[in-house]
Amino acid sequence: MTVLDLGPGRSSTLAFLTEFPTRVIFSDLFDVDVTLAEPDATDAAREEHALAVFNDALGLTRDTQIDVCLMWDYLHYLDRPSLRALSTALRPHLHRNSRGYAFGVLHANTAMDEHDYAIHDIDHLVRQPKTISVAHKPHTQRVLSENFPAFTVIKGTLLREGRLEFYLET
Amino acid sequence: MFDKRKDNEISQASTPVEPLSNQPTTETFNTRSAAVIGQTITIKGSVTGDENLTIEGTVEGSIDLPNHDLTIGQSGQVTADLNANTIKVDGQVGGDINGAEKVVITKSGKVKGNIVAPRVTLEDGAKFKGSIDMDPGESAKPALKSTTSNSAPSATAPSSGNNSSGGKSSDNVKAAG
């Protein structure tokens, strides 16, 4: 099984995945700047730039096929062109049984606390405050569906404070 | 998604569990009679040998120590592919790491590269970016830096001033589903 974690390497996630015959890739995309410096750049230019950045930053070889993609809340740190770029970058590495996990929000004005996430065990996650604050604007499920077509939400679970937990498939 | 997952009722992931405590790692490394590349030494090229090695300096190239232990000390800055029996990283490594027995990245370690080893440990605070290939059928479980606590949940509210990247203020959040 190949697991792609878009966050930084976490000891607990690694310890959990050791139970399975796994190759885990920690891309740590939170540490990557996908924005284009030019303020007047078009959306197409932003998307093209972000795609080039993601293709390099994801660390995936041409033949890598992802079984599980742990996105945590990363999608909410991207603007719409970058969302589309990430979807495009991931798509060649997904197959029909690929699955994803991500957090969402019920409303666009739902506050999102800034945490790093990891797996603790089959029923629990580990949540730690981010050491660096990163600008973000939560996306609704509709925005994600329109701009991140690599995955489709198959199950959403309402958490407290208007947050959502998404299980996704390709 | 994972076979072992139970069918839980839908619930809110709102019950934090006692923060994981940092416990000393139980990993042991043979540092006796290890050759040392000192902090002021820079090597460009291939490093090979038939003994344990500790690197506190700078190495660019490759390091090949089959059947021996390699330690990248806190001052060590290595841009090289590493091959050894056991590899412990306290410093910085850019390159692929192949540990025949195990690889440990400690809380001060920073690695960008791919790791292949039957047993890999990331301590809380370690920085890692890349892939990790493990074969759990051939290894014991890795020594965990932090362990599960069965204590009553606490409403931990990390202070905004806490910049720790370790597990000092972590919560265990119950995942619904």
Side-chain angles (χ1 to χ4, degrees):
Chain A
M1 177 170 64
T2 297
V3 176
L4 173 64
D5 187 331
L6 299 187
R10 292 288 180 218
S11 58
S12 55
T13 298
L14 181 62
F16 172 78
L17 291 174
T18 301
E19 299 288 332
F20 308 88
T22 303
R23 176 175 179 240
V24 56
I25 303 164
F26 293 106
S27 292
D28 196 7
L29 295 183
F30 288 99
D31 204 31
V32 174
D33 184 3
V34 299
T35 56
L36 198 53
E38 291 84 6
D40 299 327
T42 63
D43 277 359
R46 292 182 192 283
E47 184 175 339
E48 184 180 344
H49 172 78
L51 178 59
V53 173
F54 283 131
N55 281 333
D56 179 59
L58 281 169
L60 304 176
T61 58
R62 191 190 302 270
D63 59 350
T64 300
Q65 289 290 288
I66 300 164
D67 298 299
V68 177
C69 186
L70 302 172
M71 291 169 272
W72 310 118
D73 60 352
Y74 179 68
L75 302 180
H76 305 282
Y77 291 85
L78 301 177
D79 58 18
R80 297 183 192 196
S82 298
L83 272 175
R84 294 192 290 271
L86 180 60
S87 180
T88 303
L90 287 175
R91 204 191 282 270
H93 303 283
L94 302 173
H95 54 81
R96 60 187 218 147
N97 293 320
S98 298
R99 295 290 181 265
Y101 180 84
F103 290 117
V105 293
L106 204 51
H107 305 291
N109 58 0
T110 301
M112 269 185 61
D113 46 7
E114 295 183 44
H115 284 87
D116 284 331
Y117 294 90
I119 300 173
H120 180 261
D121 58 40
I122 200 70
D123 292 315
H124 296 87
L125 302 177
V126 176
R127 188 176 68 173
Q128 298 172 296
K130 280 198 189 307
T131 54
I132 300 172
S133 181
V134 182
H136 64 278
K137 186 181 184 306
H139 298 300
T140 61
Q141 184 174 343
R142 186 171 71 86
V143 170
L144 291 178
S145 297
E146 291 173 357
N147 294 277
F148 195 68
F151 281 100
T152 302
V153 175
I154 54 172
K155 180 180 175 183
T157 302
L158 182 64
L159 306 176
R160 62 176 179 176
E161 297 167 350
R163 295 184 303 121
L164 293 165
E165 179 184 54
F166 291 138
Y167 296 91
L168 308 116
E169 66 179 11
T170 53
Chain B
M1 193 181 304
F2 296 103
D3 288 341
K4 293 184 179 180
R5 194 175 189 95
K6 296 178 289 185
D7 290 329
N8 294 321
E9 293 182 359
I10 293 174
S11 63
Q12 297 178 352
S14 60
T15 307
V17 177
E18 184 71 22
L20 302 174
S21 60
N22 289 331
Q23 293 188 4
T25 179
T26 58
E27 298 286 355
T28 56
F29 285 81
N30 182 6
T31 57
R32 275 187 284 173
S33 64
V36 178
I37 294 175
Q39 203 167 337
T40 64
I41 305 293
T42 296
I43 295 176
K44 293 185 180 179
S46 298
V47 177
T48 60
D50 195 19
E51 60 185 297
N52 300 330
L53 177 64
T54 297
I55 297 176
E56 294 286 2
T58 302
V59 175
E60 296 177 20
S62 65
I63 301 172
D64 187 22
L65 298 171
N67 305 314
H68 291 284
D69 300 339
L70 172 64
T71 300
I72 310 300
Q74 284 198 23
S75 314
Q77 299 202 28
V78 173
T79 306
D81 293 341
L82 314 181
N83 178 50
N85 185 46
T86 65
I87 300 172
K88 179 185 174 189
V89 180
D90 293 311
Q92 271 186 257
V93 174
D96 293 341
I97 299 176
N98 183 32
E101 182 180 324
K102 67 184 174 187
V103 173
V104 175
I105 305 174
T106 67
K107 61 183 179 182
S108 61
K110 190 172 178 179
V111 173
K112 186 173 179 180
N114 303 314
I115 299 177
V116 178
R119 194 165 65 148
V120 180
T121 299
L122 284 182
E123 291 185 1
D124 282 343
K127 294 202 186 310
F128 176 76
K129 179 168 182 169
S131 68
I132 299 176
D133 268 309
M134 298 172 287
D135 182 4
E138 293 181 357
S139 67
K141 291 185 180 180
L144 298 177
K145 174 62 177 175
S146 52
T147 59
T148 305
S149 170
N150 292 324
S151 303
S154 64
T156 303
S159 68
S160 60
N162 184 355
N163 291 321
S164 170
S165 60
K168 290 183 181 179
S169 57
S170 63
D171 304 324
N172 283 354
V173 179
K174 181 173 176 65

